Amino acid sequence: MSITLAKRLDRWVGAAWARGLGAWDGLCEAVRTPAPVEEVRRLLVIKLWGVGNWALLRPVVRDLRERHPSARLTVLTLAGNRPLVEDLADEVLLVRPAPLAAAALDLARAAWRLRRDPPDLALDFEPFAHAGALVARLGRAAQRVGFARAGRARDRLYTVTVPMRGEAHVARSFRDLAEAAGVLPGPYEPGHLQPSAAGRAQVEALGLPAAQGLALVHPGSGDNFPGRRWSEAGFAAVARTLAGEGLCVLVTGDASEAALCQRVAAAAGADVRSVAGLLGLEGLVALVARARLLASNDTGPVHLASALGVSTLALYGPNTPRLYGPLAPGSRAFYRALPCSPCLTADSHRSSRCRIFTCMASIPVGEVAEAARRLARQHGTAHAASGGAGA
């Protein structure tokens, strides 16, 4: 299923459903006030899109479990996110992203499953999509908490709305939503992610040199808007710089990005290798955890690195690092803040019609390569001072 088509259907069809259900709920509540929820025995967390979002969301879900320790926790998410959620939940409801009919069927099944045993509390962490709010409403969740979006039909489906901060990291807004559901106020703290045994086994199968430090370069951006990608030549230069500092450098990506990653590796030189398509999500988590640093576009591995405490050089243009920047110590975001940027916002359904990606092209190769060199040397010094442990 095209992600563009999915967004358009959610924006128009989802909004129509939301308006109708919202109007009906308004009429019903005018006649009879709903009974208050005395105890949260069933808790629903919704976040469909985004490996990176789930890397950020895990500590928040942990806090929700601590606040409602006796509640049965159900998570609704895309099938590809399963390795990041199954250890958090009592039940995981998965949605296949493709084809469209399968996604619609899985969402309908989830709503029907919830109706048989409705949640007392549902939190929808989607910033703009209607799908999660519709499932929570059709699943008869008594209290439905979600992000307010001015003029959006889905706001009528929530019983409580929380503003999404425009000046703070999205992870802070995630925690705001949890605090509206009873989590004690406090700072957002990244983490709560560890490699699995299966992931470590995938990395071991790559045959990496045990005594050499590892750096990762991630030139892809998934299937959501290619304008988020910095140049292949830029990533090749960064990879070449890191290899020159004595690091084992790998170019990462999924199977659909194998050709891109191979081109970057080839341009970087014989010391750089592509592992695109060789690892599943668990393997990628384990690989990032083993790395000393990551250079990446604005995409999922940046947030995996934040959760794992791995320093990251991250490149932004259509998106803003104010909301989605790396959080690990020693990290740096590159962003030119052109007058047209950011264009991927919740108000635009994170879509853009731009065809000339000036924002990314304006980030100088030399500046990023030099930052990579300095970061590699800082980590090398720290590694030597620690006696070489944890290479």
Side-chain angles (χ1 to χ4, degrees):
M1 175 178 59
S2 163
I3 193 168
T4 301
L5 176 60
K7 288 179 179 180
R8 288 176 178 172
L9 287 172
D10 183 273
R11 188 171 191 171
W12 301 112
V13 178
W17 273 74
R19 289 189 188 95
L21 286 170
W24 174 254
D25 288 347
L27 288 173
C28 292
E29 291 174 12
V31 174
R32 183 178 60 184
T33 301
V37 175
E38 301 293 341
E39 179 186 2
V40 176
R41 295 179 295 113
R42 292 172 298 278
L43 174 63
L44 172 65
V45 168
I46 300 169
K47 186 71 182 79
L48 295 171
W49 272 274
V51 164
N53 281 291
W54 267 107
L56 297 172
L57 192 54
R58 285 177 57 88
V60 176
V61 176
R62 174 201 60 195
D63 293 340
L64 281 166
R65 293 223 69 158
E66 290 179 356
R67 173 62 182 84
H68 302 288
S70 61
R72 177 177 174 81
L73 173 61
T74 299
V75 167
L76 175 68
T77 190
L78 293 185
N81 298 328
R82 183 170 190 163
L84 292 179
V85 304
E86 58 188 352
D87 64 316
L88 296 173
D90 300 302
E91 177 185 32
V92 180
L93 302 178
L94 297 175
V95 178
R96 293 165 290 177
L100 177 60
L105 179 61
D106 289 344
L107 288 169
R109 284 174 172 168
W112 183 252
R113 158 68 188 87
L114 294 169
R115 286 177 73 88
R116 297 200 304 268
D117 192 14
D120 301 294
L121 173 62
L123 292 92
D124 178 17
F125 287 93
E126 289 295 332
F128 60 84
H130 294 82
L134 285 166
V135 170
R137 165 58 183 82
L138 293 171
R140 295 180 176 173
Q143 179 88 316
R144 302 180 295 277
V145 186
F147 291 119
R149 305 299 310 179
R152 289 291 168 84
R154 72 172 195 166
D155 284 10
R156 303 180 185 183
L157 301 179
Y158 299 131
T159 55
V160 174
T161 57
V162 175
M164 192 165 192
R165 302 194 194 200
E167 79 293 346
H169 201 280
V170 68
R172 176 62 253 179
S173 291
F174 285 167
R175 200 172 199 285
D176 287 347
L177 213 66
E179 290 178 6
V183 171
L184 293 178
Y188 173 83
E189 297 180 359
H192 197 57
L193 179 62
Q194 294 293 329
S196 66
R200 289 193 294 269
Q202 290 181 35
V203 172
E204 290 302 314
L206 296 177
L208 303 180
Q212 191 175 14
L214 175 65
L216 305 178
V217 173
H218 193 88
S221 60
D223 59 356
N224 184 12
F225 191 54
R228 294 189 297 161
R229 294 182 181 181
W230 197 43
S231 69
E232 294 179 23
F235 277 112
V238 170
R240 193 160 48 247
T241 298
L242 293 170
E245 294 298 317
L247 295 171
C248 171
V249 181
L250 300 181
V251 184
T252 59
D254 62 27
S256 70
E257 298 166 332
L260 164 67
C261 294
Q262 186 55 50
R263 290 194 301 270
V264 170
D271 293 331
V272 177
R273 170 186 169 194
S274 171
V275 295
L278 300 182
L279 300 171
L281 178 53
E282 289 178 279
L284 179 61
V285 170
L287 187 68
V288 173
R290 182 166 170 172
R292 293 188 190 175
L293 63 97
L294 165 73
S296 174
N297 291 314
D298 161 37
T299 192
V302 170
H303 307 305
L304 293 176
S306 292
L308 294 163
V310 176
S311 299
T312 301
L313 302 176
L315 298 112
Y316 296 80
N319 212 349
T320 168
R322 185 175 68 250
L323 295 178
Y324 293 96
L327 299 175
S331 296
R332 178 177 171 184
F334 296 85
Y335 179 59
R336 287 294 175 265
L338 300 185
C340 56
S341 181
C343 60
L344 296 183
T345 66
D347 290 333
S348 70
H349 267 61
R350 294 189 58 77
S351 298
S352 174
R353 299 179 66 188
C354 181
R355 298 296 180 266
I356 300 177
F357 311 128
T358 307
C359 54
M360 297 302 289
S362 66
I363 300 174
V365 173
E367 182 181 347
V368 183
E370 180 57 30
R373 179 181 289 108
R374 290 197 300 268
L375 188 57
R377 291 179 180 178
Q378 290 170 10
H379 280 279
T381 301
H383 180 69
S386 68

Short mmCIF file of all heavy atoms in Angstrom, two decimals, residues 33-34 39 59 78 131 145 171 178 192 287 378 386:
data_model
loop_
_atom_site.label_atom_id
_atom_site.label_comp_id
_atom_site.label_asym_id
_atom_site.label_seq_id
_atom_site.Cartn_x
_atom_site.Cartn_y
_atom_site.Cartn_z
N THR A 33 -25.36 11.59 30.71
CA THR A 33 -23.95 11.76 31.05
C THR A 33 -23.31 10.40 31.30
O THR A 33 -23.83 9.61 32.10
CB THR A 33 -23.79 12.63 32.30
OG1 THR A 33 -24.40 13.89 32.07
CG2 THR A 33 -22.32 12.81 32.65
N PRO A 34 -22.20 10.09 30.63
CA PRO A 34 -21.54 8.79 30.84
C PRO A 34 -21.07 8.63 32.28
O PRO A 34 -20.69 9.60 32.95
CB PRO A 34 -20.35 8.83 29.88
CG PRO A 34 -20.70 9.88 28.87
CD PRO A 34 -21.53 10.89 29.61
N GLU A 39 -12.00 2.46 38.05
CA GLU A 39 -10.72 1.76 38.09
C GLU A 39 -10.31 1.38 36.67
O GLU A 39 -11.15 0.95 35.87
CB GLU A 39 -10.83 0.50 38.95
CG GLU A 39 -9.54 -0.30 39.03
CD GLU A 39 -9.73 -1.61 39.77
OE1 GLU A 39 -10.89 -1.90 40.18
OE2 GLU A 39 -8.74 -2.36 39.91
N PRO A 59 9.71 4.16 27.01
CA PRO A 59 9.75 4.58 28.42
C PRO A 59 8.41 5.12 28.92
O PRO A 59 8.08 4.98 30.10
CB PRO A 59 10.82 5.69 28.43
CG PRO A 59 11.61 5.50 27.19
CD PRO A 59 10.67 4.92 26.19
N LEU A 78 1.50 -1.28 13.90
CA LEU A 78 1.80 -1.96 12.65
C LEU A 78 2.61 -3.22 12.91
O LEU A 78 3.40 -3.29 13.87
CB LEU A 78 2.57 -1.04 11.71
CG LEU A 78 1.83 0.18 11.16
CD1 LEU A 78 2.72 0.91 10.15
CD2 LEU A 78 0.52 -0.21 10.50
N ALA A 131 -7.10 6.95 12.21
CA ALA A 131 -7.35 5.51 12.34
C ALA A 131 -7.36 5.06 13.80
O ALA A 131 -8.25 4.31 14.22
CB ALA A 131 -6.30 4.73 11.55
N VAL A 145 -7.84 9.41 25.20
CA VAL A 145 -6.93 10.55 25.31
C VAL A 145 -6.10 10.64 24.04
O VAL A 145 -5.53 9.64 23.59
CB VAL A 145 -6.00 10.40 26.54
CG1 VAL A 145 -5.16 11.66 26.73
CG2 VAL A 145 -6.81 10.09 27.79
N ALA A 171 8.97 13.44 22.04
CA ALA A 171 8.97 12.54 23.19
C ALA A 171 8.38 13.21 24.41
O ALA A 171 7.73 12.57 25.24
CB ALA A 171 10.40 12.06 23.47
N ALA A 178 0.70 10.78 28.55
CA ALA A 178 0.67 9.82 29.65
C ALA A 178 0.35 10.51 30.97
O ALA A 178 -0.37 9.94 31.82
CB ALA A 178 2.02 9.10 29.75
N HIS A 192 15.17 2.32 28.06
CA HIS A 192 14.26 1.17 28.18
C HIS A 192 14.25 0.35 26.88
O HIS A 192 13.20 -0.11 26.44
CB HIS A 192 12.85 1.63 28.55
CG HIS A 192 11.98 0.52 29.08
ND1 HIS A 192 12.33 -0.24 30.16
CD2 HIS A 192 10.79 0.03 28.65
CE1 HIS A 192 11.38 -1.14 30.39
NE2 HIS A 192 10.44 -1.00 29.49
N LEU A 287 22.73 -4.07 16.42
CA LEU A 287 23.86 -3.45 15.72
C LEU A 287 24.06 -2.02 16.19
O LEU A 287 25.20 -1.59 16.45
CB LEU A 287 23.61 -3.48 14.21
CG LEU A 287 24.78 -3.01 13.33
CD1 LEU A 287 25.94 -4.00 13.43
CD2 LEU A 287 24.33 -2.84 11.89
N GLN A 378 36.74 11.59 19.82
CA GLN A 378 36.27 11.68 21.20
C GLN A 378 35.93 10.30 21.75
O GLN A 378 36.32 9.96 22.87
CB GLN A 378 35.05 12.60 21.27
CG GLN A 378 35.34 14.06 21.04
CD GLN A 378 34.08 14.88 20.88
OE1 GLN A 378 32.97 14.40 21.11
NE2 GLN A 378 34.23 16.14 20.48
N SER A 386 38.86 3.82 29.00
CA SER A 386 38.13 2.78 29.73
C SER A 386 38.81 1.42 29.63
O SER A 386 38.29 0.43 30.12
CB SER A 386 36.71 2.67 29.18
OG SER A 386 36.71 2.17 27.85
#
